[in-house]
Amino acid sequence: MTTAAPEKAPARENLQFQAEVKQLLHLMIHSLYSNKEIFLRELISNASDACDKLRFEALNNEALYGGDSDLKIQVTYDKAARTITISDNGIGMSRGEVISNLGTIAKSGTREFFSKLSGDQAKDANLIGQFGVGFYSGFIVAQTLTVVTRRAGEAEAVRWESSGEGDFTIEAAERTGRGTDVILTLREGEDDFLSSWRLKSILTKYSDHITIPVLMKKEEWDKDKNEMVVQGEFETVNQAKALWTRAKNDITEEQYHEFYKHVGHDYEDPLAYTHSRVEGRQEYTQLLYIPARAPFDMWDRERKHGIKLYVRRVFIMDDAEQLMPKYLRFVKGVIDSNDLPLNVSREILQESRDVKAIREGCTKRVLSTLEDLAEQATSGEDDKQKAKYATFWKEFGAVLKEGVGEDAGNKERIAKLLRFASTQADTTDQTVSLADYVARTKEGQDKIYYVTAETFLAAKNSPHLEVFRKKGIEVLLLSDRVDEWVVSNLTEFEGKALVSVAKGGLDLGKLEDEAEKKEQESAEGEYKDLLKKIQDTLGDKVKEVRVTHRLTESPSCLVSDEQDMSAHLSRLLKAAGQNAPGVKPILEINPKHPLVQKLKYEEAHFADWVSLLFDQALLAEGGALEDPAGFVKRMNQMLLAL
């Protein structure tokens, strides 16, 4: 029995770009990038990554080197042909990989990415950087991009070519040895890049930190021709030494920032960074960055983390999520271990004690960096430095809040970093720390009060705040979805309990005078019969009906029992498709309100008035009516009866 030979790919194919690629290319070609020279940085970064991937795959298959383990990147140019070529001897690509990598954007969050493009060039350039599509930046300066590549371990090379107008061609090619050549045929007006001095200055500025040697041919002055002439020998134009292994005193701020843009696929400078070498039971170097802007896919569960893992300067993996807790998933950077095995796998990382120690050390380092930013915000003299923590919190505060429940060992440190909106300012800005709140508490106040709601306005206008506004007691306004998670895990701060103004029987302690307590007791006795009548009318809709002292203006409100789940959390769980226990609310009525006083003497429409009070209270705390049409009908009838 004979088997058919595998079907060969067509000699030459003309294929269409994925629709999203076409949209991206349109942005690129119309000068989305204000700084054109960064195309070279992006292509050098890709070449460096290809060399890193070869080094990693060769750990288990040394034959991939084919006797050539001297990894390098070469940059050449040809004035006559008006081309720039970036060549590497890295992992290379197969035909299938070329089609996949250069013709499509196979990435989660693609639709969300394009929906966030605003037309603002500066903002959109940053988004594109986050999306990691640097290869296409070549079209900023090139009318045609040609890629000739050969996968390590394979005999056949592949040629890919496109003018960036919606399609590309792919065919078999010849290439001596593995690796990739990216050839840019420049557009008219871009000839200033056809200069050794220009290219070297760009490489020195943006790619000095690349660990792979970047080579260009030497040039010497030819007196006869009165011009610089390219010589035959190549020379290294970058330091080709891992930036994180260099002494901090030898690294400039600009170099730190450029390295961040390389590892973070970002176009903005980082907000802050920390660089240190840890010695002891584990030896490792950490260079970690806090970005200035949240990525578009921050809430995507499948998104990759930003930590690159190296072992003794050998690249191991690109998204080592085990080295940083999820609530710090915005951190970018490099961790280089001296102790982990070179063949470390994700499974080993998951179980390794050494990895756990590195993770704990890096977590503490990041928290220290955030504490420094927070300190600068309160005591710094430089306005730019003072604004950094506010920027961080706006971009990443909701993510950091997750750490309160995920990281018990650092809960107190995280709590000090939290910021909230409050009734102190009544603005959406989350600038109030728990320490700020405690410093402003009234004499005798032993609690930190908060209210949770789906939006800031719902929290700000909650009827539960009425008595607090009357007494001038500050209340934290919590409207992030994660806030319910925070307060369920953070029950106290500096000895003061965190208490919801919408749960349990409100106890203001020393903030409530004796006259108010007597008035409350008197009202409970006076309205005892009415409370029972309302309870009978509402039946199993409520757990209890009682007189309130939370309200000064509203006729009624709903509260949750002390041990019950809050109504807001219940709605969040249901919206997420999770089962939430059925919790009956407590209806509190304001005996001083005219509508409640009217109920004492109402007979004909008593049930309608009670239903109206309950529905109003439900709406005020963010709930949804079971029968909206019935509510409108009853309200109209009541208005006509007035």
Side-chain angles (χ1 to χ4, degrees):
M1 181 177 177
T2 59
T3 56
E7 201 173 299
K8 287 188 176 182
R12 180 183 176 91
E13 286 184 279
N14 188 279
L15 302 174
Q16 293 292 311
F17 281 119
Q18 179 190 26
E20 287 83 357
V21 176
K22 291 181 184 178
Q23 187 176 350
L24 185 66
L25 289 175
H26 178 79
L27 292 168
M28 292 286 187
I29 294 169
H30 289 80
S31 300
L32 181 61
Y33 288 81
S34 59
N35 185 6
K36 292 183 178 182
E37 65 187 24
I38 61 173
F39 80 89
L40 189 56
R41 179 185 73 185
E42 295 301 305
L43 296 178
I44 293 293
S45 281
N46 289 349
S48 173
D49 288 345
C51 291
D52 279 341
K53 288 174 183 175
L54 173 64
R55 188 181 284 159
F56 176 64
E57 289 194 22
L59 291 174
N60 295 319
N61 183 9
E62 196 170 344
L64 291 175
Y65 281 130
D68 176 20
S69 59
D70 182 21
L71 302 178
K72 56 186 175 293
I73 302 166
Q74 295 180 341
V75 178
T76 58
Y77 68 96
D78 184 330
K79 280 189 175 182
R82 304 184 64 253
T83 61
I84 297 173
T85 301
I86 296 95
S87 300
D88 68 70
N89 60 346
I91 192 67
M93 290 181 283
S94 65
R95 187 184 189 96
E97 287 171 329
V98 167
I99 294 173
S100 176
N101 294 338
L102 304 186
T104 64
I105 303 177
K107 194 166 187 177
S108 62
T110 301
R111 183 174 298 174
E112 182 183 359
F113 162 70
F114 282 103
S115 72
K116 292 196 175 184
L117 291 173
S118 63
D120 183 306
Q121 289 193 358
K123 292 180 180 178
D124 289 349
N126 182 68
L127 274 175
I128 286 175
Q130 294 172 358
F131 202 64
V133 286
F135 169 77
Y136 300 118
S137 66
F139 283 110
I140 300 171
V141 297
Q143 64 181 17
T144 305
L145 276 180
T146 304
V147 177
V148 179
T149 183
R150 177 176 162 188
R151 187 68 156 80
E154 295 189 5
E156 185 179 273
V158 180
R159 177 188 178 92
W160 178 99
E161 188 168 279
S162 176
S163 58
E165 295 179 354
D167 62 354
F168 59 90
T169 61
I170 187 167
E171 61 186 322
E174 295 291 330
R175 189 183 196 277
T176 303
R178 65 170 192 273
T180 301
D181 303 322
V182 178
I183 305 148
L184 300 92
T185 302
L186 299 185
R187 297 177 183 279
E188 293 293 333
E190 306 295 351
D191 291 34
D192 63 319
F193 289 107
L194 297 172
S195 156
S196 180
W197 176 86
R198 180 84 161 98
L199 294 173
K200 284 181 179 178
S201 66
I202 296 172
L203 292 170
T204 302
K205 179 179 180 181
Y206 292 120
S207 304
D208 198 48
H209 57 269
I210 296 292
T211 58
I212 307 298
V214 180
L215 311 176
M216 285 192 69
K217 286 187 176 181
K218 294 180 180 179
E219 284 191 337
E220 292 182 1
W221 187 260
D222 188 317
K223 293 181 180 179
D224 296 331
K225 294 183 178 180
N226 197 32
E227 64 179 17
M228 295 297 291
V229 176
V230 176
Q231 302 299 306
E233 295 181 13
F234 279 94
E235 63 178 347
T236 303
V237 297
N238 66 328
Q239 291 200 35
K241 182 179 180 182
L243 181 126
W244 62 89
T245 65
R246 289 151 56 183
K248 289 191 282 187
N249 292 339
D250 295 336
I251 308 172
T252 66
E253 186 92 341
E254 184 180 22
Q255 288 172 326
Y256 273 123
H257 288 180
E258 288 306 325
F259 183 71
Y260 163 72
K261 292 170 185 176
H262 166 65
V263 298
H265 295 290
D266 202 345
Y267 292 84
E268 290 188 56
D269 291 338
L271 206 59
Y273 60 85
T274 176
H275 181 196
S276 64
R277 178 174 175 80
V278 179
E279 296 179 335
R281 184 169 174 268
Q282 288 86 30
E283 290 189 4
Y284 61 93
T285 300
Q286 53 189 356
L287 176 50
L288 306 172
Y289 293 90
I290 310 295
R293 192 184 302 275
F296 73 95
D297 56 350
M298 176 57 72
W299 300 103
D300 182 355
R301 291 178 179 272
E302 297 179 8
R303 76 178 297 273
K304 292 184 177 181
H305 288 53
I307 302 299
K308 289 178 178 285
L309 173 64
Y310 288 76
V311 175
R312 296 185 289 282
R313 270 66 68 199
V314 176
F315 172 76
I316 301 299
M317 65 182 66
D318 219 359
D319 57 327
E321 68 272 14
Q322 294 88 348
L323 295 173
M324 196 65 65
K326 285 190 175 181
Y327 71 91
L328 296 179
R329 58 185 174 272
F330 51 83
V331 176
K332 309 280 188 180
V334 165
I335 295 172
D336 189 349
S337 170
N338 281 347
D339 304 310
L340 295 174
L342 285 170
N343 63 346
V344 65
S345 65
R346 294 188 185 276
E347 290 71 29
I348 292 174
L349 286 180
Q350 194 73 38
E351 300 169 1
S352 169
R353 290 184 179 180
D354 289 335
V355 169
K356 183 180 179 183
I358 293 173
R359 174 189 173 108
E360 290 174 353
C362 291
T363 298
K364 287 182 169 132
R365 197 71 184 178
V366 172
L367 292 178
S368 293
T369 302
L370 294 178
E371 287 164 352
D372 290 343
L373 287 182
E375 176 63 25
Q376 290 171 4
T378 57
S379 61
E381 296 180 0
D382 185 332
D383 288 342
K384 187 176 180 181
Q385 293 294 325
K386 291 174 71 172
K388 281 187 174 182
Y389 195 74
T391 299
F392 162 77
W393 189 259
K394 180 181 177 183
E395 298 294 327
F396 304 108
V399 180
L400 183 66
K401 286 178 179 180
E402 296 173 8
V404 171
E406 292 179 3
D407 191 349
N410 290 304
K411 182 161 72 172
E412 290 184 9
R413 294 184 71 178
I414 297 169
K416 292 178 181 178
L417 293 168
L418 302 182
R419 298 293 183 268
F420 304 97
S422 88
T423 54
Q424 176 76 7
D426 270 1
T427 68
T428 57
D429 296 335
Q430 296 184 8
T431 59
V432 178
S433 69
L434 292 174
D436 292 336
Y437 183 101
V438 169
R440 291 197 291 260
T441 52
K442 290 184 169 292
E443 185 177 352
Q445 182 180 343
D446 60 355
K447 298 179 180 67
I448 297 172
Y449 295 104
Y450 68 85
V451 63
T452 58
E454 293 183 28
T455 65
F456 169 77
L457 284 177
K460 175 184 174 181
N461 297 320
S462 171
H464 300 96
L465 300 180
E466 291 176 4
V467 71
F468 293 90
R469 292 192 188 279
K470 177 183 176 182
K471 291 180 172 292
I473 302 171
E474 186 175 5
V475 179
L476 300 177
L477 307 175
L478 312 186
S479 55
D480 287 341
R481 294 177 69 87
V482 71
D483 283 333
E484 284 283 0
W485 168 258
V486 173
V487 294
S488 65
N489 287 280
L490 185 65
T491 56
E492 69 169 13
F493 180 80
E494 293 185 358
K496 294 186 184 292
L498 271 73
V499 174
S500 169
V501 300
K503 289 188 74 173
L506 188 61
D507 179 12
L508 295 176
K510 295 179 181 179
L511 301 176
E512 189 174 34
D513 59 36
E514 289 301 317
E516 288 174 324
K517 291 179 181 178
K518 288 181 180 179
E519 185 179 2
Q520 173 78 9
E521 292 171 0
S522 174
E524 288 173 355
E526 181 182 350
Y527 282 81
K528 183 178 180 181
D529 292 341
L530 179 61
L531 295 175
K532 184 178 186 308
K533 191 175 180 181
I534 294 173
Q535 174 86 60
D536 292 342
T537 301
L538 292 175
D540 60 5
K541 281 188 176 181
V542 294
K543 177 182 285 190
E544 181 186 351
V545 181
R546 64 193 183 202
V547 169
T548 187
H549 62 296
R550 301 172 206 262
L551 305 177
T552 60
E553 299 174 7
S554 302
S556 60
C557 68
L558 295 178
V559 299
S560 302
D561 210 350
E562 190 70 45
Q563 304 305 320
D564 286 346
M565 178 183 295
S566 72
H568 179 232
L569 178 56
S570 178
R571 287 193 295 272
L572 286 177
L573 292 174
K574 288 177 180 176
Q578 300 182 36
N579 291 326
V583 177
K584 294 181 182 179
I586 296 168
L587 176 66
E588 293 190 348
I589 60 170
N590 178 5
K592 295 182 180 180
H593 196 280
L595 287 179
V596 174
Q597 292 174 349
K598 178 181 175 66
L599 277 179
K600 291 178 68 176
Y601 311 104
E602 178 65 40
E603 293 294 340
H605 301 288
F606 183 84
D608 288 333
W609 279 114
V610 168
S611 294
L612 198 61
L613 283 178
F614 178 83
D615 288 346
Q616 284 181 336
L618 183 61
L619 288 172
E621 60 106 39
L625 300 176
E626 288 185 7
D627 181 13
F631 168 75
V632 172
K633 183 178 179 181
R634 278 193 299 274
M635 184 173 66
N636 290 337
Q637 288 175 342
M638 295 301 100
L639 289 172
L640 289 171
L642 290 176

